[in-house]
Amino acid sequence: VDKGGILKYRRGGVLDLRDGTIEMWISPRFDGTDPIYSKYNHTLLLSDSKAGDAFLVSGSTIGGFLAGSVVGHNFKGSVGGSIKAWKAGTWHHIAFTYSSHAGRQRLFIDGVVAGETTGTMPAPEDGAASFTVGCDPYGSWTGFIVDELEISSPEKSSDAIRGSASRTEPVANR
């Protein structure tokens, strides 16, 4: 999705918010020290509901990432990482795993746990019709290029995430 573009998919039957894994490869458009990353959040994946609740994976103004849900204006999920040393055009693997059964959410950057939260993540209402990738629903672009987005169920293991982050071939060549 290029600057100003919106990629939108129907969510129904695609995104299970009880247990799953969101993985993607991202590349910063600018060096990680660029002020654009501290000025704005940069949405990588977002599913928002009519009630104003959301499920998201996003770059954050704190210089890292956040992933989880916002229900009733309360965020529950994982926060972590730093992009300060990242250079424009380099590729990094981001993964967010969540499990209502295990009561946890984990954020991985390049195969390493960058943040973990315990407790069940509340799910936005099922009435959300779609989710967007690489931008927010209003067309605000992200400071990252997003590639190879994979949404899967159930929660993947830490070993599986490390394996995904260490591979050298595109998904299609696995």
Side-chain angles (χ1 to χ4, degrees), residues 11 17 47-54 71 123-129:
R11 182 182 140 207
L17 295 175
S47 177
D48 59 340
S49 74
K50 293 175 184 163
D53 298 336
V71 176
E125 67 180 42
D126 280 337

Side-chain angles (χ1 to χ4, degrees), residues 105-168:
Q105 303 88 50
R106 291 181 178 161
L107 175 65
F108 295 81
I109 299 176
D110 293 329
V112 177
V113 175
E116 183 171 351
T117 303
T118 57
T120 303
M121 179 182 71
E125 67 180 42
D126 280 337
S130 63
F131 61 93
T132 57
V133 178
C135 60
D136 67 22
Y138 314 105
S140 299
W141 62 281
T142 180
F144 298 94
I145 298 167
V146 178
D147 197 11
E148 297 186 12
L149 171 67
E150 184 177 320
I151 299 171
S152 59
S153 183
E155 172 193 39
K156 287 187 178 179
S157 69
S158 295
D159 288 340
I161 298 298
R162 275 192 297 279
S164 292
S166 66
R167 67 182 170 77
T168 58

Side-chain angles (χ1 to χ4, degrees), residues 15 20-24 45 55 57 94-98 149-152 161:
L15 188 58
T21 300
I22 308 292
E23 290 183 84
M24 66 189 81
L45 179 135
F55 175 83
V57 178
I94 301 292
F96 175 57
T97 66
Y98 50 97
L149 171 67
E150 184 177 320
I151 299 171
S152 59
I161 298 298

Side-chain angles (χ1 to χ4, degrees), residues 68-85:
S69 66
V70 178
V71 176
H73 302 290
N74 295 311
F75 174 77
K76 178 70 173 182
S78 294
V79 177
S82 173
I83 66 166
K84 297 288 183 199

